[in-house]
């Protein structure tokens, strides 16, 4: 057997063995029970957790309450959780709380900030348990864990999709030197029933529902952007956490419903630069409720025009070699946003400032001497 074949077989089997070992621990307890937080943004009682109880109850929840902090949010009995409202955010972050969106689901990123776990799974409160074509309920969290525990393959496309799934492998012609893959930073799940459409598409297709279940997971290729949706998403917080800032949206801002996509564009550029991978596809959730398309249009209106300039920026931006950590990459990206997008609208100056504030808050709550020094240099400039 040639050396490259040995690399291939050992890397593939090692990844599968690692996943199998982790999943086998379900006999002893839930997978990653002490290494994963579930983050939920909400403005309402969390009755939807009842249907997720078999899958979520063993895990710790971080609930970020948006809107009126005097409102009491009811959480079903039996869940281990901490709940933060706007007063808590202001108390913990002080002036830096300005980077956390208000009256927008982007507030969820406060949960990413406050968590101390290695992995994050975030879900919206209108997302229910879906069923696969056989009628079996889908444990979305379990599939996300499988995705993040196995490598991604961003440098060469495998026509059998994720080669690290059970029953799959690398196809003939796939370079042996690339078969080890790279660490997976993000697992992006999909939705049955209500698709994640923009307002114009909602208005044109008000009755359209997604009934197509595609049993596939694939790596988003290097150099390819995608519209990340935050309603069914998991990521390795230790690997990519500082890049998962869901923008400055909602109350007082000229744009909404672009928070998760902004995070996705920033994250993907940084993953490509640092050599991390992003997966999309399984798992599915059941998206139960379509938001008002007219309200959405008001929020998205400027973004629909701006994205035609924003996306080419992210498609062509390059980060310098000295940016060897996520924080350094994000700080550099904030500078480039200010330099290149401020001509689109003054809002991007404000957003660039918020990006720096986010990193400053991240470093305070998750201290690392080198990153704090790097940021202090930028702030003083």
């Amino acid at each position: 057997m040639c050396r490259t074949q040995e690399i291939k077989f050992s890397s593939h089997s090692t990844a599968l063995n690692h996943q199998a070992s982790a999943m086998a621990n379900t006999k002893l307890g839930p997978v990653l029970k002490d290494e994963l937080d579930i983050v939920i943004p909400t403005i309402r009682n969390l009755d939807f957790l009842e249907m997720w109880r078999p899958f979520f109850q063993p895990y710790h929840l971080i609930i970020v309450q948006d809107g009126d902090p005097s409102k009491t949010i009811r959480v079903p009995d039996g869940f281990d959780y901490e709940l933060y409202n706007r007063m808590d955010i202001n108390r913990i972050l002080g002036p830096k709380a300005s980077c956390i969106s208000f009256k927008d689901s982007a507030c969820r990123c406060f949960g990413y900030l406050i968590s101390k776990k290695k992995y994050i799974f975030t879900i919206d409160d209108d997302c229910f348990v879906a069923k696969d074509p056989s009628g079996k309920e889908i444990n979305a969290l379990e599939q996300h864990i499988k995705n993040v525990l196995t490598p991604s393959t961003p440098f060469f496309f495998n026509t059998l999709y994720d080669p690290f799934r059970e029953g799959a492998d690398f196809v003939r012609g796939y370079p042996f030197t690339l078969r080890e893959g790279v660490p997976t930073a993000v697992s992006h799940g999909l939705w049955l029933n209500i698709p994640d459409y923009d307002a114009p598409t909602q208005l044109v297709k008000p009755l359209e529902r997604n009934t197509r279940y595609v049993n596939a997971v694939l790596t988003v290729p290097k150099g390819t952007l995608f519209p990340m949706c935050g309603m069914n998403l998991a990521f390795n917080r230790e690997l990519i956490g500082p890049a998962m800032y869901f923008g400055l949206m909602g109350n007082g801002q000229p744009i909404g419903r672009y928070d998760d996509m902004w995070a996705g564009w920033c994250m993907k550029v940084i993953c490509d630069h640092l050599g991390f991978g992003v997966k999309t596809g399984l798992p599915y959730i059941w998206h139960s409720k379509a938001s008002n398309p007219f309200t959405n249009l008001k929020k998205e209106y400027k973004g629909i025009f701006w994205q035609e300039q924003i996306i080419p920026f992210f498609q062509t931006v390059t980060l310098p070699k000295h940016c060897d950590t996520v924080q350094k990459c994000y700080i550099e990206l904030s500078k480039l946003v200010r330099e290149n997008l401020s001509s689109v609208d003054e809002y991007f100056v404000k957003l660039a400032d918020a990006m720096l504030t986010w990193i400053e808050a991240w470093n305070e709550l998750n201290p690392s001497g080198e990153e704090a020094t790097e940021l202090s240099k930028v702030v003083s400039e």
Side-chain angles (χ1 to χ4, degrees), residues 176-201:
F176 287 97
T177 53
L178 296 178
R179 296 190 182 195
E180 189 171 356
V182 301
T184 299
V186 173
S187 170
H188 178 256
L190 299 175
W191 345 267
L192 293 172
N193 196 36
I194 306 295
D196 187 31
Y197 284 162
D198 54 37
T201 308

Side-chain angles (χ1 to χ4, degrees), residues 343-368:
S343 59
V344 176
D345 192 271
E346 276 295 306
Y347 162 74
F348 290 97
V349 175
K350 190 175 183 180
L351 179 55
D353 288 340
M355 292 168 70
L356 286 178
T357 302
W358 162 262
I359 291 296
E360 188 175 358
W362 184 281
N363 288 339
E364 283 190 5
L365 293 176
N366 306 274
S368 169

Side-chain angles (χ1 to χ4, degrees), residues 28-40:
L28 304 176
V31 183
L32 302 181
K33 176 181 178 294
D34 299 320
E35 297 180 72
L36 183 145
D37 279 333
I38 300 174
V39 175
I40 305 169

